[in-house]
Amino acid sequence: MSTITVEVISRETIKPSTPTPCQLKSHSLSLIDQYMYPIFTPILLFYPAAAVLDTGYNQHGDNTCLVKKSLSETLVHFYPLAGRVRDNIVVDCNDQGVEFIEVKVSGSMSDFLRKPDEQLSGLVPSEAVCTNSVREAQVIVQVNRFDCRSTAIALCVSHKIADLATVTAFIRCWAQAAIGIRGTTSIISPIVSSKWRPTFDSAALFPPVKQLISPSGVTSTKRIISKRILFDAAMINSVREKLLALTVDKYKCRRPTRVEVVSALIWKSFVTLDSLPVKVKHAVNLRKRINPPLPDVSFGNILEFTRAVVGSASTEKTTQGITSSTSLYDELNEFICQLRESVSKMSQGDHDFDSEDTEYGERDLWISSWCNYGLYDVDFGWGKPIWVTTVATMFRMPDVFFMMDTCCGEGIEVWGNLFEEDMANFQDNLSKLHHII
């Protein structure tokens, strides 16, 4: 397939439809926000033209005004996203707005999706791809119009002020507003359900520290490779059942989750890349793990990373390789137990939000799960997306893995970033695990 080309049709700034009240003009960052890298988190949602015909609505290309109007309405509730971060301590909610770009993409979406991996960055705003950090607008939206009248929406939100739960609440509120506007001829703005309106609790729970310097991110002269790996439902369920059978006679244990199983397989394929102990830093949404629990729509970064050291290639079992499925499942089970223990400590209030705690002689493995956030339910009136994904290369960090639901909701799609010399070995290790499983 030939390389896609994109042509910018329009570029503008979208501001909240009504001014942010004076008492809300300053939004305090939380301590967790302060520690987050000022990089964009990209989400892409693909909507084929056929979905529009099934709903009876107009073609995507006829709805640019609707998309922009609903975005403007949504920013009223998510007003910090239209502001600017100042001194890593507050967001100046000055209604400067978010960047909105509409582009024309050569070719059809069906052709693009036959081999999309190498070309995804072309559907993301160039400003977000090229820069190492977020400097001005906290949100950039690019609406990609394919020749076949299909649409891919690329949403890039600064991780400095929002985690995935916040981004999900934002995009679902935006989609609801679009449907609300489409279904009325009234000049009055549609009412957005309180289900998706954010609350602002994080700074009170995790007070910021003055003059905390924002991390600048990780840079390296080595080439980082991004690969997409699919874990199908049948394989995941097989491993889940075998792990449950391994533990049921020893002690009561709940069935491993999809995310735990895939995390364990990633770890096992990663741990042999060198001789260093591996510290697994798995992102954990804290909203339901603190007391009292927070609503899903609580705004900001309300997450923490596990800190367990789980395995080293220098151990006898690892250096000798996997000799049987029994030893493999023992190791996977031990990993999941350690992971659960680390998460349990967070639920008990044991927090340490400084992620820069890696000791000399350790190697970090960063894992973030985007599963079960309902991104495949985001409907702007065009039907549900046929693919939701990210662009891992934009994170510019090695040893990072992102998990996302597959369209059926039972498999898991993984994007991994590794140094070039590690990627081939990782894929080879994973292939060997597949043969044993």
Side-chain angles (χ1 to χ4, degrees):
M1 187 188 74
S2 60
T3 302
I4 65 167
T5 59
V6 297
E7 175 189 353
V8 175
I9 299 173
S10 65
R11 183 188 299 268
E12 61 184 291
T13 300
I14 305 297
K15 300 183 178 183
S17 59
T18 58
T20 300
C22 292
Q23 68 270 23
L24 301 179
K25 287 290 187 181
S26 181
H27 170 73
S28 177
L29 296 180
S30 72
L31 179 64
I32 309 176
D33 294 331
Q34 289 183 298
Y35 276 116
M36 286 295 158
Y37 294 127
I39 58 176
F40 284 112
T41 299
I43 295 178
L44 289 93
L45 303 98
F46 289 79
Y47 297 92
V52 183
L53 299 178
D54 291 341
T55 62
Y57 292 131
N58 293 330
Q59 293 284 358
H60 302 199
D62 300 330
N63 291 296
T64 301
C65 291
L66 181 148
V67 171
K68 290 190 288 188
K69 179 173 174 54
S70 56
L71 176 59
S72 179
E73 297 288 349
T74 305
L75 289 172
V76 172
H77 306 288
F78 290 81
Y79 53 89
L81 296 181
R84 300 294 184 267
V85 174
R86 307 299 183 201
D87 303 321
N88 199 34
I89 189 72
V90 299
V91 180
D92 183 4
C93 304
N94 50 20
D95 298 335
Q96 281 189 251
V98 307
E99 299 304 309
F100 186 93
I101 306 164
E102 185 178 12
V103 306
K104 179 181 178 182
V105 183
S106 62
S108 67
M109 179 178 288
S110 59
D111 286 340
F112 176 86
L113 292 178
R114 288 192 182 100
K115 193 176 180 181
D117 296 17
E118 295 84 4
Q119 303 190 82
L120 278 174
S121 59
L123 304 183
V124 178
S126 58
E127 297 91 330
V129 174
C130 297
T131 185
N132 287 322
S133 63
V134 180
R135 292 182 172 85
E136 286 298 327
Q138 300 301 298
V139 177
I140 307 178
V141 176
Q142 181 164 307
V143 177
N144 300 279
R145 309 289 192 188
F146 287 82
D147 288 345
C148 59
R149 301 183 70 83
S150 299
T151 300
I153 291 182
L155 173 66
C156 300
V157 181
S158 171
H159 209 329
K160 171 57 65 176
I161 62 174
D163 62 11
L164 184 67
T166 295
V167 175
T168 299
F170 172 70
I171 197 168
R172 296 189 76 165
C173 184
W174 177 15
Q176 184 194 54
I179 290 178
I181 293 172
R182 187 193 302 275
T184 180
T185 57
S186 172
I187 61 173
I188 301 175
S189 298
I191 298 175
V192 173
S193 169
S194 59
K195 179 181 180 181
W196 299 116
R197 292 186 193 177
T199 60
F200 298 90
D201 319 287
S202 59
L205 292 170
F206 310 108
V209 176
K210 291 184 178 180
Q211 299 180 343
L212 178 64
I213 298 175
S214 179
S216 58
V218 177
T219 58
S220 174
T221 57
K222 295 183 179 180
R223 187 184 179 201
I224 297 173
I225 300 293
S226 293
K227 293 291 184 180
R228 182 165 61 101
I229 307 161
L230 182 63
F231 294 81
D232 64 65
M235 186 272 288
I236 293 173
N237 288 330
S238 174
V239 176
R240 292 176 75 182
E241 295 304 326
K242 290 175 182 176
L243 287 173
L244 182 60
L246 179 69
T247 61
V248 71
D249 293 333
K250 298 179 181 179
Y251 47 82
K252 291 183 178 180
C253 182
R254 73 178 188 271
R255 186 176 184 232
T257 66
R258 291 183 303 141
V259 169
E260 287 173 337
V261 166
V262 174
S263 297
L265 293 173
I266 290 172
W267 162 78
K268 185 56 189 168
S269 302
F270 179 88
V271 74
T272 57
L273 294 181
D274 60 33
S275 60
L276 297 177
V278 172
K279 178 170 285 187
V280 176
K281 295 193 171 181
H282 207 303
V284 178
N285 183 351
L286 294 177
R287 287 168 177 79
K288 299 304 182 186
R289 298 184 180 277
I290 58 179
N291 189 17
L294 295 176
D296 292 333
V297 292
S298 187
F299 188 94
N301 287 286
I302 307 179
L303 57 81
E304 190 177 356
F305 293 91
T306 59
R307 303 185 300 280
V309 178
V310 285
S312 167
S314 62
T315 63
E316 180 180 356
K317 182 181 294 184
T318 305
T319 55
Q320 291 179 350
I322 299 298
T323 58
S324 70
S325 61
T326 301
S327 60
L328 169 61
Y329 285 109
D330 282 335
E331 291 184 73
L332 298 180
N333 179 63
E334 179 61 25
F335 169 87
I336 291 173
C337 289
Q338 290 191 51
L339 187 64
R340 287 179 175 178
E341 181 180 0
S342 184
V343 174
S344 178
K345 290 180 180 179
M346 298 178 190
S347 301
Q348 297 168 9
D350 181 10
H351 301 300
D352 180 6
F353 299 112
D354 185 356
S355 61
E356 303 297 327
D357 63 347
T358 301
E359 298 180 6
Y360 178 77
E362 292 177 345
R363 185 169 180 178
D364 286 342
L365 168 59
W366 299 85
I367 303 176
S368 181
S369 171
W370 296 12
C371 298
N372 303 313
Y373 278 92
L375 289 168
Y376 275 97
D377 294 327
V378 176
D379 183 356
F380 286 86
W382 311 326
K384 295 181 180 181
I386 58 170
W387 189 32
V388 179
T389 192
T390 188
V391 181
T393 53
M394 287 179 56
F395 292 91
R396 298 180 177 85
M397 290 176 59
D399 303 345
V400 176
F401 290 82
F402 301 93
M403 300 185 208
M404 310 191 78
D405 290 317
T406 55
C407 189
C408 70
E410 296 183 0
I412 290 182
E413 174 184 291
V414 173
W415 279 97
N417 282 3
L418 288 170
F419 287 130
E420 186 172 19
E421 60 268 28
D422 286 330
M423 182 59 78
N425 291 332
F426 175 84
Q427 290 182 295
D428 183 58
N429 292 341
L430 191 58
S431 177
K432 291 176 181 177
L433 291 184
H434 276 269
H435 282 99
I436 297 174
I437 292 169

